[in-house]
Amino acid sequence: MAFLNGEKLRQIYQRAKAGGYAFMANNIAEANVLVGLLKGYTERRSDLVVQVSPGAAGFAGGGDKLAGLRTLSHMVRVLGDQYPIGIFLNLDHFTVKEMDLIQEVIKGSLVSSIMIDASKEAFEDNVRISHEVVQMAKGSGILIEAELGKIKGVEDEVISDEAFYTDPDEAVEFIDRTGADLLAISVGTQHGVSKGRDVVLRTDIARRIRDRLADKGLAVPLVLHGTSGLLAEQIREIIHYGVCKLNKDTRYQYEYSRAAYDFYISHADSIIPPAGVPDDATGLFSGSDWSPKKADFDPRTVGKLVRARIKQVAMELIDQAGSAGHTLLGIN
Ligand SMILES: [Zn+2]
């Protein structure tokens, strides 16, 4: 059984924190990225954290988020069982709008952890909402991640138009009052595509948050969102200051589209009819001498290329995070 619960997830983050490495938390919405990740993580002998945003849940469920989560949770379990590593599933950026959904997810034990994002609310409301979710999850073995301080850019269904750094003193009060298991902090990363040189990263704030929490006996693992634009040395520094979960979504989205684009552009002639041939997909071009190449238009052809690309990128990111060789399944 490769799918593991929140208590095991707590263990891998604690080990990572003690060992000075981190785990990437990789967003998925369908099977191609998941299969690529499983192959890459298996080759590097690292446990794998995947996560699903509300938007991805809706996408996977054809508009029904709960159906999407059930589908993806099942897929993660069934596919994960075939690989000799631990796999964890996290809900990414669920908000106060999704409280009923969160309840269902906890009831069905669909995930290992849940992120409740009330970071755009006022501090007191953020505390109240995050605490409510912690209470809902009590006894379920599911970890709760909460966020304090906004992240510049567009989070899934959460718009924040200004960057706010997390206040270390507020972080202590926040963890003390909410009882959250993980804390997502804001230290200047941007969500979405950003270039490393444009990010005003305040790693000193991460260090202060870590130290302040440790002083009060509240040393929860720290989480950093919006890391797709960070340089490798910035990642190393932030891990050094106690971040053990790094969210990764945008990079995979780009690589996915790029792999598909590169293939279709270079194989346009075997999919698109040449000038003079009627564009007759209805009859699959039976009225002309030209016909498209099935081997090229079969979506599995591009799907395999996407999986191979995701596998490569996953291994590159594992090397950045330092999680290679770290799995609870004891196969090192
Ligand atoms: Zn995020």
Side-chain angles (χ1 to χ4, degrees):
M1 190 68 182
F3 180 79
L4 299 172
N5 69 11
E7 286 311 317
K8 295 286 185 195
L9 186 58
R10 193 192 303 281
Q11 274 183 39
I12 72 160
Y13 289 142
Q14 278 169 352
R15 283 173 183 223
K17 203 171 165 200
Y21 58 94
F23 285 91
M24 294 287 174
N26 311 281
N27 284 73
I28 59 164
E30 41 80 274
N32 286 322
V33 174
L34 177 60
V35 170
L37 289 169
L38 281 163
K39 289 181 185 299
Y41 273 72
T42 296
E43 192 153 321
R44 285 286 189 271
R45 296 289 183 265
S46 169
D47 284 337
L48 166 62
V49 179
V50 294
Q51 57 187 9
V52 177
S53 67
F59 170 79
D64 183 330
K65 289 177 186 169
L66 182 56
L69 287 174
R70 286 187 172 132
T71 303
L72 292 172
S73 176
H74 192 67
M75 193 167 81
V76 162
R77 284 161 201 266
V78 174
L79 288 177
D81 267 354
Q82 302 177 47
Y83 294 83
I85 52 170
I87 181 166
F88 301 90
L89 177 59
N90 175 50
L91 295 190
D92 185 30
H93 286 296
F94 275 59
T95 71
V96 70
K97 288 184 293 181
E98 281 109 16
M99 292 302 244
D100 293 345
L101 194 56
I102 290 172
Q103 189 77 65
E104 288 298 316
V105 165
I106 293 170
K107 212 168 78 188
S109 299
L110 298 183
V111 299
S112 322
S113 60
I114 295 169
M115 182 210 185
I116 174 68
D117 180 2
S119 62
K120 66 164 191 173
E121 313 286 340
F123 181 76
E124 285 300 324
D125 291 328
N126 189 356
V127 169
R128 180 179 49 77
I129 294 161
S130 301
H131 181 253
E132 194 182 328
V133 176
V134 169
Q135 289 303 116
M136 283 160 65
K138 267 232 150 61
S140 67
I142 293 171
L143 302 189
I144 302 301
E145 171 185 338
E147 178 169 334
L148 183 62
K150 290 168 189 165
I151 291 166
K152 195 173 180 179
V154 179
E155 297 181 349
D156 201 308
E157 298 184 1
V158 181
I159 313 294
S160 44
D161 52 9
E162 245 189 302
F164 294 100
Y165 295 104
T166 304
D167 180 299
D169 289 324
E170 261 188 12
V172 168
E173 185 184 346
F174 186 71
I175 291 300
D176 188 37
R177 290 175 64 193
T178 60
D181 301 290
L182 294 115
L183 178 65
I185 57 170
S186 177
V187 295
T189 59
Q190 301 181 36
H191 262 63
V193 177
S194 68
K195 290 192 172 63
R197 64 178 180 277
D198 296 327
V199 177
V200 184
L201 187 69
R202 295 278 308 275
T203 51
D204 60 306
I205 292 178
R207 191 189 67 228
R208 281 165 52 209
I209 294 168
R210 178 200 63 182
D211 292 348
R212 210 65 62 85
L213 286 169
D215 285 349
K216 302 288 179 185
L218 298 167
V220 295
L222 302 180
V223 180
L224 195 61
H225 290 235
T227 64
S228 281
L230 293 188
L231 307 169
E233 52 266 33
Q234 292 177 312
I235 301 256
R236 268 196 299 279
E237 201 181 343
I238 207 81
I239 292 170
H240 184 66
Y241 291 143
V243 170
C244 29
K245 174 173 178 269
L246 295 156
N247 284 14
K248 201 59 82 168
D249 185 11
T250 309
R251 174 79 189 278
Y252 293 121
Q253 292 177 339
Y254 178 78
E255 299 284 357
Y256 191 118
S257 289
R258 185 62 191 274
Y261 174 87
D262 286 350
F263 178 82
Y264 285 132
I265 279 290
S266 59
H267 293 75
D269 291 351
S270 58
I271 298 169
I272 311 282
V277 173
D279 199 350
D280 172 32
T282 312
L284 266 178
F285 308 95
S286 52
S288 79
D289 292 339
W290 181 86
S291 59
K293 260 194 214 139
K294 187 168 167 54
D296 290 347
F297 69 71
D298 183 336
R300 287 172 295 186
T301 300
V302 147
K304 283 177 192 163
L305 295 172
V306 166
R307 291 170 181 198
R309 177 82 71 110
I310 297 296
K311 177 188 172 185
Q312 286 306 316
V313 174
M315 291 195 295
E316 175 196 323
L317 296 175
I318 290 165
D319 293 343
Q320 275 184 16
S323 70
H326 295 291
T327 166
L328 288 180
L329 292 195
I331 49 150
N332 319 316

